[in-house]
Amino acid sequence: MTFGEQPAYLRVAGDLRKKIVDGSLPPHTRLPSQARIREEYGVSDTVALEARKVLMAEGLVEGRSGSGTYVRERPVPRRVARTGYRASGGSTPFRQEQAEDGARGTWESRSEQAEASSAVAERLGVRTGDRVMCTRYVYRDAGEVMMLSTSWEPLAVTGRTPVMLPEEGPLGGCGVVERMAAIDVVVDNVAEEVGARPGLAEELMSLGGVPGHVVIVVQRTYYASGKPVETADVVVPADRYRIAYHLPVR
């Protein structure tokens, strides 16, 4: 096979990817061996190995110890709902979704006081080392972990109030807007930045991914009169979910 300017391993990976996508190599099929790739494409062992590494990094194939490399089941992407700021609404978008018939979502959380890192301090407009309430969430769909979230709130705002613990007390489980309103803090804006990056090892361990898998990261911050009162990182596996936004028309 004659290759153009593109590196040979990418051309081989591209052809194998096409076969996986069009079903010529269906899920659970063993990927051609390194020797077979070398023979079929007329490339070296090094090129064949690098092509397999590309497909593995893309999450299209997985290695099975002592057995070989196999095409992974391609999940049908599901939706994670996001919503713009609303003056009222009760609970979070995830909880509202789970109130629908047939929803199978559950979640758990853990809150603890911590010192703001430099990155969190910058997002909250506080000093590095200031006390914050850090809450970590794990969201599941039919038992499968679908989303991770870490939230930080400055204790200068919520400390020694009934809403200091986001998931406990009279307003436990309500959204940030409702909780802040209970202590006379009026949230009037929310900003979200959406990006993607390779998942961290601990994230992928929780989400059921493999090294190299990409995650979608939503960096959210709630504001009251321009002052940040909560910021959070929402992490979603990019191969299994899509972020769906519902924004109000003003």
Side-chain angles (χ1 to χ4, degrees):
M1 178 178 291
T2 302
F3 293 95
E5 295 182 359
Q6 188 179 44
Y9 76 94
L10 291 180
R11 298 292 293 271
V12 174
D15 190 66
L16 291 171
R17 184 190 303 113
K18 181 177 181 297
K19 292 178 179 179
I20 292 172
V21 172
D22 69 18
S24 300
L25 287 172
H28 310 297
T29 299
R30 185 174 180 177
L31 197 70
S33 67
Q34 190 165 308
R36 175 80 177 274
I37 293 174
R38 181 188 64 210
E39 179 181 345
E40 181 176 346
Y41 293 94
V43 296
S44 67
D45 281 335
T46 300
V47 168
L49 178 59
E50 290 302 314
R52 290 157 64 94
K53 286 182 179 179
V54 168
L55 298 176
M56 191 168 292
E58 292 176 351
L60 294 174
V61 301
E62 61 184 354
R64 298 179 186 175
S65 180
S67 180
T69 304
Y70 291 80
V71 177
R72 295 183 70 239
E73 186 81 43
R74 298 185 67 212
V76 177
R78 287 170 282 176
R79 183 189 68 173
V80 174
R82 308 294 301 165
T83 184
Y85 162 77
R86 293 173 300 167
S88 62
S91 60
T92 64
F94 182 82
R95 286 176 169 86
Q96 291 172 24
E97 256 196 350
Q98 299 314 311
E100 299 174 0
D101 291 340
R104 304 169 298 173
T106 59
W107 57 89
E108 59 191 60
S109 65
R110 183 181 78 254
S111 295
E112 60 185 358
Q113 294 190 32
E115 294 183 355
S117 66
S118 58
V120 169
E122 182 177 0
R123 288 164 58 175
L124 287 175
V126 300
R127 295 173 298 181
T128 300
D130 280 1
R131 303 297 292 177
V132 295
M133 182 62 68
C134 176
T135 304
R136 302 181 188 277
Y137 296 86
V138 178
Y139 296 90
R140 291 182 170 85
D141 179 22
E144 176 187 280
V145 177
M146 60 171 288
M147 181 168 65
L148 307 174
S149 178
T150 305
S151 165
W152 299 271
E153 295 179 351
L155 286 173
V157 175
T158 62
R160 298 184 180 180
T161 74
V163 301
M164 185 174 73
L165 293 170
E167 298 296 322
E168 297 182 23
L171 291 178
C174 289
V176 174
V177 177
E178 288 71 25
R179 291 177 48 250
M180 293 296 169
I183 57 173
D184 297 322
V185 175
V186 180
V187 173
D188 53 19
N189 192 23
V190 57
E192 292 195 351
E193 296 183 7
V194 182
R197 59 167 170 76
L200 303 178
E202 56 268 29
E203 292 170 341
L204 295 176
M205 182 176 297
S206 297
L207 293 168
V210 299
H213 271 196
V214 172
V215 294
I216 301 170
V217 181
V218 180
Q219 187 180 102
R220 180 198 70 209
T221 305
Y222 279 101
Y223 296 88
S225 300
K227 180 181 178 180
V229 295
E230 189 263 8
T231 193
D233 286 338
V234 180
V235 179
V236 181
D239 63 331
R240 303 202 301 273
Y241 291 91
R242 298 290 181 267
I243 306 294
Y245 278 87
H246 302 273
L247 305 176
V249 177
R250 296 184 181 274

